[in-house]
Amino acid sequence: MTDLSDVRPGRAEGDSWDITESVGATALGVAASRAAETAQPEPLIRDEFAFLLVAAAGPAWAQLAGSEPHWIGDDPEAHRIHGIARNYQAVRTHYFDDYFTEVTHEGIRQIVILAAGLDSRAYRLDWPAGTAVYEIDQPKVLHYKTETLQAHGALARAQHVPVPVDLRDDWPADLIAAGFDPEQPTAWLAEGLLPYLPADAQDRLFELVGAHSAPGSRLAVEDFSMDPARYTPEKRAERRARGEQMRASLGLDIDVDALMYTDDQRADAAEWLAAHGWDVDAVASVDEMARLGRGADADELAELGLDSVLLRARLDGVTR
Ligand code: SAM
């Protein structure tokens, strides 16, 4: 029997998008959370570029990125869910910001952000002199970001190298053509990416990262668990309906669930990397949220599709 909650009308092989379309809009969504967090009285992270990057996409997006979600109306449940999602995004940003501080202290000067979206780390983190930050994403997404930041006079704090290419294509060739040196240790990041890749594309991505990682390279990943026992079709349907309701109040027609590949036997990222020679250090998002004072209930995170593992891995030899 076909399970309608697993139908993905929003994706096709080789699909592409602009910032407000399809998977591009998810970059606006997470940047809106970073903007809202930045505007909190005691923010866990500060992304001073997030609001302007989101607001440039139009008034509805600007509302989404506002400090208070007035657009939700007076539904307390919707406010609660919005708060959990904002806390989740703040904690994951904090985790990966911290990762970059760690790798630069180790002496790594070559950074590759896979599916960079509206990530502004090249502009907002304190990079040591000589650091190059390569950003891979779809061409229109990267163009939107660089144009918007330029228009606001933002200056990158590292050598910033956009690499417009699809991660399902031969992206290493483009990365190398842009100046990337596979002989140098690299710190890679895959944040907010894996659910948007089919399972085999995820394996291929990790294989290519490994094949282009000199000894001493690092990799950080956000791996959503999508545990079918907890993230049931009913829960997904519920989340979709609520999401639809919330977006309708803003006039945004984006269905994130329809963009994800969740019905496959996807490899567990930590297990896959450990089996291929990486030394992995992982933490459950629920534990990291508790540690940073943004605790959430584990079942609830799972029901919202926010149950993930955040991991940092190191490659001391070569991949197997
Ligand atoms: N990493 C960024 C962050 O956390 O702010 C963006 C995350 S956003 C949820 C997902 C991003 O993945 C989008 O910018 C989208 O364009 C990018 N993406 C998804 N699939 C991709 C692919 N096959 N090739 C290149 N980029 C892709």
Side-chain angles (χ1 to χ4, degrees):
M1 197 176 82
T2 306
D3 175 358
L4 287 181
S5 66
D6 275 343
V7 172
R8 287 185 306 276
R11 298 305 307 275
E13 206 181 318
D15 50 354
S16 64
W17 46 81
D18 206 332
I19 191 69
T20 54
E21 301 163 349
S22 180
V23 192
T26 68
L28 285 167
V30 292
S33 288
R34 290 194 291 268
E37 174 66 20
T38 303
Q40 297 306 302
E42 290 183 43
L44 192 57
I45 54 109
R46 282 180 201 280
D47 183 346
E48 307 295 352
F49 301 100
F51 183 79
L52 66 91
L53 281 167
V54 179
W61 288 107
Q63 276 196 67
L64 188 68
S67 56
E68 291 303 326
H70 300 297
W71 50 274
I72 290 181
D74 54 9
D75 174 359
E77 183 58 8
H79 278 277
R80 213 174 55 78
I81 290 173
H82 183 265
I84 294 172
R86 196 193 66 232
N87 281 335
Y88 176 83
Q89 297 298 338
V91 167
R92 93 172 190 189
T93 305
H94 183 274
Y95 179 87
F96 294 120
D97 281 2
D98 194 48
Y99 160 73
F100 282 125
T101 303
E102 187 179 291
V103 300
T104 50
H105 281 156
E106 284 175 8
I108 292 182
R109 296 289 180 267
Q110 182 164 259
I111 309 295
V112 180
I113 303 182
L114 303 160
L118 301 180
D119 184 320
S120 67
R121 289 187 175 97
Y123 293 77
R124 70 181 175 80
L125 295 189
D126 197 10
W127 301 102
T131 305
V133 179
Y134 295 88
E135 293 191 331
I136 299 181
D137 207 301
Q138 289 236 345
K140 289 179 186 168
V141 171
L142 290 182
H143 180 75
Y144 170 84
K145 175 164 71 177
T146 43
E147 289 283 294
T148 307
L149 289 174
Q150 254 171 32
H152 285 83
L155 293 177
R157 304 179 73 181
Q159 184 198 345
H160 176 225
V161 189
V163 185
V165 62
D166 194 294
L167 287 161
R168 294 160 295 184
D169 296 339
D170 181 15
W171 56 266
D174 292 50
L175 185 59
I176 291 167
F180 171 85
D181 178 3
E183 302 303 319
Q184 297 300 318
T186 301
W188 307 83
L189 172 63
E191 176 188 26
L193 166 63
L194 299 186
Y196 304 108
L197 292 178
D200 56 345
Q202 173 179 315
D203 292 352
R204 181 89 187 117
L205 180 86
F206 288 153
E207 281 163 13
L208 289 172
V209 165
H212 294 84
S213 288
S217 289
R218 306 287 307 271
L219 165 63
V221 178
E222 178 188 39
D223 188 23
F224 288 97
S225 78
M226 305 289 186
D227 175 2
R230 298 211 274 190
Y231 194 46
T232 59
E234 293 75 28
K235 289 293 173 196
R236 293 184 63 194
E238 226 175 82
R239 174 175 121 140
R240 286 182 84 159
R242 185 172 290 279
E244 250 165 55
Q245 228 174 24
M246 288 165 79
R247 287 185 297 273
S249 51
L250 278 175
L252 295 176
D253 183 21
I254 303 289
D255 180 356
V256 176
D257 261 64
L259 303 170
M260 294 180 174
Y261 293 88
T262 53
D263 56 344
D264 47 40
Q265 293 302 309
R266 180 181 296 272
D268 174 279
E271 284 174 14
W272 193 101
L273 292 168
H276 288 78
W278 293 82
D279 188 8
V280 179
D281 179 21
V283 62
S285 55
V286 67
D287 294 336
E288 188 66 355
M289 290 177 79
R291 186 180 80 80
L292 293 172
R294 299 298 181 97
D297 178 76
D299 283 333
E300 197 164 38
L301 272 189
E303 288 166 12
L304 293 173
L306 295 174
D307 178 18
S308 73
V309 162
L310 306 172
L311 70 86
R312 301 175 191 189
R314 179 192 306 273
L315 187 68
D316 284 323
V318 289
T319 48
R320 290 194 283 269

